[in-house]
Amino acid sequence: MKAIVHIGTEKTGTTSIQNFLYKNRKKLRGGGYHFLQSAGKTNNRALPAYCVDNDRIDDFYPQLGITTLEDRLTHERAFIREFEHELATLPKHIHTVVISSEHFHSRIRTEAEMDNVHALLTTYFDDIQIVCYLRDQITTCTSYYSTVLKSGDPSSFADFIQHCKPQNYYFNYLMMLENWERSFGFDALKVSLFSRDLFLNGSLLDDLTAKIDPQLVGVLDTSIEVENESLTPAGQALSRAVNIAFPIRTSRVESKVIREKCNRLINARFRGKGREMSAATKQEVFSAFEPVNEVLRQKFFPAIDSILQPPVGKAAPEIVIDEGFVAGFLEVLKVVQTDGRSVIESQEYAHVYRSIFSSVNEILYDEEEDDAHKAPILSLDNLRFLRDVAIQVEPQDMPAALRLLKLVHDCEPSLPGVAQRLEAHGAKEKEKEKMAQGDRKNMPQRPTMIRYIIASKIMANAIFDEMKARFRQLRAVVDKVSIGSVFHWFRRKFG
């Protein structure tokens, strides 16, 4: 029996390919092809996980609640029984099994693990074809950042892109393919570039279908909804902040619940193109990979002059901290407050706030930007936005709202609605102070309420004290500039 094994690589439309194969599994069977199911309905993730060495942690098993070697071995024996049963009960007309998982690329990294893959597949198949698509390392890296954030990684973007170097097996396609060639032979490798210009009919799905059976092109249903799995820069900042505040490696069940719930919310709200490397960093990364990519070209693509060029002419997405971000931010805080009631201490709330604002500040301030783009400019629209943020925050955190209003008032005292609200709040505070000076004792408060009051004070101090001092330095008000420039100015002048 023959096996066609699609190994990715990651970030080359693998989710679309797997949904396509699953949707067309009946039509494939009609042509004598079977899309494997015992290793996963769409992503055959269990196969590469089975081949990863026992002394290396693969997140596939913890996700199933498997945390010991004994439990892992028990699960693997059960998987092999299901795998063998599926193959043994295939109809007689089935001559080829199609397997797909990008984790063959990302998890199988050593010769020993590749030997495990070879030993497993050659036990059941006498003809094995490896299908692989390659995308330039720069785009792969920036796209992969959203993926690792979703898995709980707290890395900053600047730290993460440091991994994109030829010494890293994940990004060194020549090293990866030579490992596959060592076990399966050069002729078994069907390697293609991930480029619409090179796809059959300009379609990735048609291109893959032709690699399975050219007769099926036009027969299979290619109407697959493409899901954007990346996060916008703002979404990346929030996701990273949640991962910092509620780390994945913790014994606290509550932390896992809160982290996963927050990230589901972020994934739904902030889909889109994520952060980009600067032009200088792109050139540096491309130059580092140029020698190995040239050997790769000569070996697999001799008819093409140049491969895996970084994308050109694509501007990095604008970093927008707008009402949509504020709404998402408040929803995340609501999850933290609701699910964390009675289990999160006051200092942890302050930690959440500090994590979020430090992560947002990271995406607003780019060390590689030219100084000419760091002018201390704040427009009236920016001030109106800050005023509106204060109004939205007011029900959840009154001290934070007051501090924002005072900051706006320092920059533009005549902005409508600011002075009036400050005066109203001031009158209320005076009345409270007057009552406090009396002989009446304070009403007893529940311990949980005390925690939240302390938390709000800590959070407000952690976020706004330094901002207030810095805003006092700002007096010029100029139109048509994004709020991000304020943070740039802060860091340049005071950082």
Side-chain angles (χ1 to χ4, degrees):
M1 184 177 287
K2 180 179 180 179
I4 298 176
V5 185
H6 167 239
I7 65 171
T9 56
E10 290 194 340
K11 319 316 297 182
T12 58
T14 53
T15 301
S16 296
I17 285 175
Q18 289 153 8
N19 289 338
F20 165 73
L21 292 172
Y22 184 77
K23 183 175 183 178
N24 287 281
R25 63 193 185 282
K26 291 183 179 180
K27 290 183 179 180
L28 286 168
R29 285 171 71 92
Y33 300 89
H34 174 73
F35 181 41
L36 191 68
Q37 294 294 284
S38 58
K41 295 300 181 184
T42 53
N43 187 340
N44 299 147
R45 175 82 165 82
L47 269 175
Y50 177 86
C51 299
V52 171
D53 285 340
N54 289 337
D55 60 354
R56 198 157 67 85
I57 297 175
D58 185 345
D59 56 359
F60 172 74
Y61 292 106
Q63 288 171 1
L64 297 176
I66 298 171
T67 57
T68 67
L69 178 58
E70 182 181 358
D71 289 343
R72 173 176 172 173
L73 295 175
T74 299
H75 178 274
E76 288 178 350
R77 287 191 291 269
F79 161 66
I80 287 297
R81 286 195 298 270
E82 292 179 15
F83 178 62
E84 291 180 339
H85 176 74
E86 180 177 6
L87 297 181
T89 56
L90 289 175
K92 292 184 178 180
H93 75 281
I94 297 295
H95 52 74
T96 301
V97 173
V98 180
I99 299 168
S100 176
S101 179
E102 66 274 22
H103 292 90
F104 279 114
H105 158 229
S106 62
R107 302 304 193 272
I108 306 302
R109 297 193 173 201
T110 67
E111 290 188 358
E113 290 172 338
M114 188 61 70
D115 290 342
N116 294 339
V117 175
H118 182 265
L120 175 65
L121 294 179
T122 54
T123 299
Y124 304 97
F125 306 102
D126 50 30
D127 183 8
I128 300 170
Q129 177 180 310
I130 309 300
V131 174
C132 179
Y133 288 92
L134 304 178
R135 192 177 193 179
D136 74 273
Q137 287 92 349
I138 292 170
T139 306
T140 298
C141 180
T142 53
S143 179
Y144 190 42
Y145 183 56
S146 288
T147 301
V148 299
L149 288 173
K150 291 180 180 182
S151 67
D153 194 296
S155 299
S156 69
F157 183 72
D159 288 340
F160 179 77
I161 62 177
Q162 296 302 312
H163 297 294
C164 190
K165 55 186 62 175
Q167 294 82 357
N168 189 330
Y169 182 95
Y170 181 92
F171 294 106
N172 191 325
Y173 303 142
L174 178 64
M175 188 187 303
M176 182 267 293
L177 289 172
E178 285 180 340
N179 200 11
W180 284 89
E181 180 187 358
R182 182 185 60 83
S183 290
F184 295 93
F186 179 81
D187 292 339
L189 305 184
K190 307 302 178 185
V191 185
S192 302
L193 296 175
F194 186 76
S195 170
R196 186 182 298 274
D197 294 338
L198 300 175
F199 294 153
L200 177 66
N201 302 329
S203 165
L204 171 64
L205 301 181
D206 279 350
D207 197 77
L208 177 79
T209 302
K211 289 175 171 51
I212 297 172
D213 186 343
Q215 299 297 321
L216 293 176
V217 176
V219 176
L220 302 184
D221 184 357
T222 58
S223 59
I224 302 298
E225 184 177 350
V226 179
E227 297 180 9
N228 191 333
E229 298 181 348
S230 292
L231 298 173
T232 63
Q236 290 174 337
L238 282 177
S239 183
R240 180 185 174 227
V242 169
N243 294 341
I244 292 172
F246 305 102
I248 191 168
R249 302 196 185 283
T250 178
S251 58
R252 289 179 59 180
V253 177
E254 297 86 357
S255 292
K256 178 182 178 182
V257 172
I258 294 172
R259 184 185 65 257
E260 291 181 349
K261 195 168 183 179
C262 287
N263 277 324
R264 282 197 300 271
L265 187 156
I266 293 167
N267 296 342
R269 260 192 173 274
F270 296 96
R271 292 182 181 178
K273 189 172 178 60
R275 293 195 65 184
E276 290 277 351
M277 296 181 191
S278 69
T281 302
K282 285 182 181 180
Q283 185 57 51
E284 180 182 342
V285 172
F286 175 73
S287 298
F289 279 98
E290 202 166 14
V292 295
N293 285 347
E294 175 56 21
V295 177
L296 186 73
R297 182 197 69 78
Q298 294 175 12
K299 191 167 189 174
F300 292 98
F301 311 100
I304 301 177
D305 293 333
S306 180
I307 63 170
L308 304 178
Q309 291 280 348
V312 294
K314 288 187 176 181
E318 182 182 356
I319 297 170
V320 180
I321 307 299
D322 56 9
E323 287 83 354
F325 173 82
V326 174
F329 167 70
L330 292 177
E331 285 189 47
V332 168
L333 293 185
K334 185 177 181 181
V335 170
V336 173
Q337 292 174 344
T338 302
D339 288 45
R341 194 181 302 276
S342 78
V343 298
I344 296 181
E345 301 297 330
S346 60
Q347 61 268 26
E348 291 183 275
Y349 282 109
H351 180 48
V352 173
Y353 269 64
R354 285 195 297 269
S355 299
I356 290 175
F357 275 83
S358 65
S359 298
V360 172
N361 186 63
E362 180 209 339
I363 66 170
L364 289 176
Y365 184 79
D366 188 345
E367 296 289 350
E368 296 176 328
E369 265 195 30
D370 188 87
D371 284 344
H373 294 93
K374 298 178 184 177
I377 301 171
L378 188 64
S379 70
L380 282 172
D381 286 341
N382 297 156
L383 294 172
R384 294 188 188 98
F385 167 69
L386 290 175
R387 176 197 61 193
D388 295 342
V389 169
I391 294 172
Q392 291 188 55
V393 169
E394 189 174 298
Q396 285 79 19
D397 195 334
M398 182 67 75
L402 280 173
R403 291 174 185 271
L404 263 182
L405 289 171
K406 289 175 182 177
L407 294 175
V408 173
H409 189 264
D410 283 345
C411 292
E412 183 50 66
S414 64
L415 193 67
V418 177
Q420 296 90 325
R421 282 183 173 272
L422 287 174
E423 290 174 3
H425 286 301
K428 289 181 181 179
E429 288 300 314
K430 288 181 179 179
E431 183 64 26
K432 289 180 182 179
E433 185 179 350
K434 183 179 179 181
M435 293 176 64
Q437 290 175 350
D439 293 331
R440 281 174 281 173
K441 295 182 179 180
N442 293 326
M443 295 293 290
Q445 302 184 53
R446 293 179 298 165
T448 54
M449 289 302 297
I450 294 174
R451 276 203 298 270
Y452 284 113
I453 292 171
I454 294 174
S456 66
K457 292 180 178 179
I458 294 175
M459 289 186 287
N461 290 334
I463 298 169
F464 293 104
D465 278 349
E466 186 175 357
M467 291 179 66
K468 180 177 179 180
R470 293 178 179 185
F471 259 104
R472 285 186 181 136
Q473 307 296 321
L474 189 60
R475 289 294 181 266
V477 178
V478 183
D479 290 328
K480 308 294 185 184
V481 180
S482 76
I483 191 171
S485 60
V486 179
F487 285 81
H488 296 329
W489 180 73
F490 287 162
R491 290 287 296 271
R492 184 165 66 90
K493 191 169 182 66
F494 299 101

